[in-house]
Amino acid sequence: MREEIKRLYLHLFIGCLIILVCCYVAVDFTKSRFDNARIEQLLCLDAELSVALLATGVKTSLPESKFDWQKPKKILTAAEVVSLIPQRHWVQLSNGDYKVSFGPKNSPEITGVATSEKGNVYQFERLLKDLLYSSLPHEEKIALIKSMSCISITSYPSSKYVDLSGITGISLVHGIHNEYGFLWRGTNSDHLHYLSLLPEKMLSLSVAIVVIVAVGIAVMIGLIWRELVLLDLKRKTFENITRQIARGQIGLPKGIPDSSGTLKELAYSFDSMSSHIQRLLKVQREMINAISHELRTPIARLRFGLEVVKDEVDGSAVDTITALEDDVEELNTLVDEVLTYGKLEEGSLALNFSSTGIRELVEGIIRHNDPLLQHLTVNVSIASDDEVIADAHHLHRALQNLILNAAKYATSQICIAFSSDNDRWQIDIEDDGPGIPLEDRDKVFIPFQRLDNSRTRASGGYGLGLAIVQRIAFWHGGAVLVDESQYGGAKFSLIWSKSQHQKSLS
């Protein structure tokens, strides 16, 4: 995980760096745009005021203007200038100067060029005062100002709440956000006019910075989200690998998505541990199978020897020899159980599925084990035409183990019932014995497990019978469930799939 954490911090650092760079670029770009827009706005006001003064003949030259003007072709009326001002055409020359013309493009009425030689001082206040103090009628002045695109005018009439008698001429006023304008009241006018520069048509500096910072944060979040998604993908892959190892699969899957090798290293450690456990289990199974096979020969010799000795001794020793024969038979049964469980556990079992009458199979088990069941009432609820698809030999072994297990603990009766649906078959075997506590129901399937309760103390056993039943159910695509019987004892349910016989098992 160290590499992933380093990469995550690296992306955080890169994201913060991107935000800082974007903020710097945004501030510099916005400041440049703001300055250019301000210059163009002041030049626009300068040009419109100059045209109003020159075209109407109020002034013949304007040294305070930033523009070098050509003389107008003729003197125009205020109404003609009002229609001329909107016909403005801007051109920025290659050397950075501005050229402006008013009128038709092909034959403008007046043209001016603003050069950097005149410095950075703008004197539009003097131009405005020249226009407002001119001899033009008051209404024509208002019309000329209203036709200009870079200045606004707002009029406030006289009323009983506003006394305009003491206000005359032009006064400079300041507002909020560094805004300033002029209050003007013409001679014999009953209106007070406020003239101000129009605000620049651009995003404010703060809005631009917020947008750029948001973009930088989004990029950083995207990088971090990508790393988190990759980490989650690795987590899911590792979870899948551990599940495969838990199911006994040896060997890592191909294409582990881990560029840094961290997941691969951890997965290889788990795989090595799994392989070691598999080797130990294999050695254990092989040892148990070898011992079981080797025990068959001395057991057979013991059985044969006891038969010979039994014919040669007197009657006083017959009972002892018979007891020894029972012990040898019990040992032979244990060896057979161990070998059977070993085959089921190691996966070398081959099942032969075929159609089998379940009632016939159960009745055969009951007849064969009649000496063990004769003291009990065995109730069988299976129709004579009920058939299942299973390996008859191993199903016989599983049902026999369940029935004999119930017989060990039943007090008076055993009930065997069969049911099925579209997906599975189920056989329930119940007894009226002491039952199995809820906390011990999973333990009964552990090999050689002996529960310390009345069911085991009274009956003995090797602890392999139910483990064999569970493995047979597994090979049939099913399971064995334990529950409480309605008769007070234990209820074992053997369930297997109807579709398992369609698969190839080996």
Side-chain angles (χ1 to χ4, degrees):
M1 286 298 174
R2 185 175 299 173
E3 292 297 328
E4 282 78 6
I5 293 175
K6 286 183 179 179
R7 191 160 56 246
L8 190 61
Y9 277 115
L10 178 62
H11 286 172
L12 281 172
F13 175 76
I14 293 174
C16 293
L17 188 62
I18 290 174
I19 291 176
L20 291 176
V21 172
C22 290
C23 289
Y24 176 80
V25 172
V27 171
D28 185 70
F29 175 77
T30 307
K31 183 177 183 300
S32 175
R33 288 289 304 273
F34 182 85
D35 292 341
N36 290 337
R38 186 69 175 176
I39 290 172
E40 291 179 0
Q41 184 188 41
L42 295 175
L43 288 175
C44 171
L45 183 58
D46 185 321
E48 292 178 339
L49 290 173
S50 298
V51 167
L53 292 170
L54 292 173
T56 56
V58 173
K59 302 279 285 187
T60 57
S61 64
L62 294 173
E64 60 270 19
S65 174
K66 291 283 289 184
F67 291 86
D68 292 328
W69 293 98
Q70 297 179 356
K71 290 185 178 181
K73 297 178 179 180
K74 60 179 179 179
I75 301 300
L76 304 176
T77 64
E80 291 175 331
V81 174
V82 167
S83 63
L84 180 67
I85 289 177
Q87 302 180 53
R88 183 189 63 194
H89 306 287
W90 282 93
V91 177
Q92 188 172 12
L93 304 178
S94 58
N95 59 356
D97 296 342
Y98 287 90
K99 180 180 180 181
V100 62
S101 59
F102 291 85
K105 278 188 176 183
N106 298 329
S107 57
E109 292 290 337
I110 186 172
T111 302
V113 177
T115 63
S116 58
E117 296 177 356
K118 290 197 172 184
N120 297 321
V121 179
Y122 296 87
Q123 303 184 51
F124 66 89
E125 295 95 338
R126 292 185 60 184
L127 297 174
L128 181 61
K129 289 180 178 180
D130 288 342
L131 176 63
L132 297 179
Y133 284 132
S134 68
S135 59
L136 293 174
H138 181 76
E139 290 77 10
E140 292 182 356
K141 296 177 184 178
I142 297 297
L144 287 170
I145 293 173
K146 286 185 176 181
S147 68
M148 299 178 185
S149 60
C150 299
I151 192 170
S152 66
I153 181 169
T154 306
S155 300
Y156 300 95
S158 176
S159 66
K160 65 179 181 179
Y161 303 105
V162 180
D163 183 12
L164 301 180
S165 59
I167 301 176
T168 184
I170 303 173
S171 302
L172 178 66
V173 295
H174 290 270
I176 60 174
H177 304 302
N178 295 324
E179 179 186 352
Y180 66 94
F182 299 91
L183 288 176
W184 167 57
R185 178 170 177 261
T187 306
N188 300 324
S189 174
D190 58 352
H191 283 73
L192 181 66
H193 306 285
Y194 174 67
L195 292 82
S196 65
L197 289 175
L198 291 176
E200 294 82 358
K201 296 180 179 179
M202 58 180 296
L203 287 175
S204 66
L205 180 62
S206 59
V207 174
I209 293 176
V210 169
V211 171
I212 298 299
V213 169
V215 172
I217 293 175
V219 172
M220 182 173 65
I221 292 175
L223 292 174
I224 297 175
W225 177 255
R226 177 178 175 273
E227 287 300 316
L228 293 177
V229 169
L230 290 177
L231 284 175
D232 187 63
L233 176 61
K234 294 175 183 179
R235 179 194 63 80
K236 291 180 180 179
T237 303
F238 183 71
E239 183 180 354
N240 183 47
I241 292 173
T242 54
R243 286 179 179 176
Q244 293 179 9
I245 293 175
R247 289 196 293 265
Q249 177 178 331
I250 302 177
L252 292 176
K254 296 181 180 180
I256 297 177
D258 185 26
S259 57
S260 64
T262 306
L263 179 59
K264 283 187 178 180
E265 183 179 350
L266 188 59
Y268 280 126
S269 299
F270 269 83
D271 184 59
S272 176
M273 178 187 67
S274 173
S275 299
H276 182 64
I277 293 174
Q278 291 289 340
R279 286 194 299 271
L280 292 177
L281 292 176
K282 183 179 180 181
V283 170
Q284 182 187 33
R285 286 195 296 266
E286 289 176 350
M287 182 181 66
I288 292 175
N289 289 337
I291 293 174
S292 301
H293 280 290
E294 292 299 325
L295 285 175
R296 284 189 176 277
T297 300
I299 288 173
R301 287 200 299 266
L302 281 173
R303 182 183 294 170
F304 178 75
L306 289 174
E307 288 290 339
V308 173
V309 172
K310 188 176 181 180
D311 295 335
E312 296 178 357
V313 298
D314 55 12
S316 60
V318 171
D319 293 339
T320 301
I321 293 174
T322 301
L324 290 175
E325 287 179 334
D326 292 340
D327 291 339
V328 171
E329 184 62 31
E330 185 175 349
L331 182 60
N332 186 64
T333 303
L334 173 59
V335 171
D336 182 63
E337 293 276 294
V338 171
L339 289 174
T340 300
Y341 182 77
K343 290 181 180 180
L344 292 168
E345 183 68 23
E346 69 184 6
S348 61
L349 185 66
L351 300 183
N352 297 315
F353 288 95
S354 61
S355 180
T356 304
I358 190 66
R359 183 178 179 86
E360 180 182 354
L361 189 65
V362 171
E363 289 178 347
I365 295 172
I366 294 174
R367 286 194 303 269
H368 185 266
N369 296 279
D370 182 66
L372 299 175
L373 300 172
Q374 60 183 354
H375 67 289
L376 300 172
T377 301
V378 181
N379 300 317
V380 180
S381 300
I382 304 175
S384 57
D385 58 346
D386 284 334
E387 289 190 353
V388 298
I389 297 177
D391 183 287
H393 172 73
H394 290 93
L395 182 61
H396 181 280
R397 181 64 177 272
L399 292 178
Q400 178 174 268
N401 286 3
L402 289 176
I403 292 173
L404 294 182
N405 179 75
K408 291 178 183 179
Y409 311 112
T411 303
S412 60
Q413 64 175 335
I414 297 174
C415 295
I416 304 172
F418 174 78
S419 60
S420 65
D421 55 28
N422 294 331
D423 300 319
R424 63 183 185 174
W425 292 289
Q426 178 173 333
I427 297 179
D428 299 323
I429 300 175
E430 303 180 63
D431 63 70
D432 58 353
I436 303 175
L438 181 63
E439 63 273 12
D440 293 334
R441 290 176 184 174
D442 290 335
K443 299 178 182 179
V444 297
F445 299 107
I446 302 176
F448 304 105
Q449 180 72 35
R450 301 289 300 275
L451 301 183
D452 188 19
N453 56 33
S454 59
R455 289 182 70 90
T456 56
R457 287 199 301 266
S459 60
Y462 313 115
L464 279 174
L466 294 178
I468 290 174
V469 174
Q470 187 186 51
R471 300 309 298 171
I472 291 175
F474 169 78
W475 282 106
H476 280 74
V480 184
L481 306 179
V482 187
D483 203 352
E484 183 179 355
S485 171
Q486 59 180 333
Y487 305 107
K491 174 184 177 181
F492 286 84
S493 299
L494 175 60
I495 304 170
W496 71 101
S497 172
K498 286 188 174 183
S499 61
Q500 187 68 14
H501 68 283
Q502 299 173 0
K503 303 177 182 178
S504 176
L505 297 177
S506 62

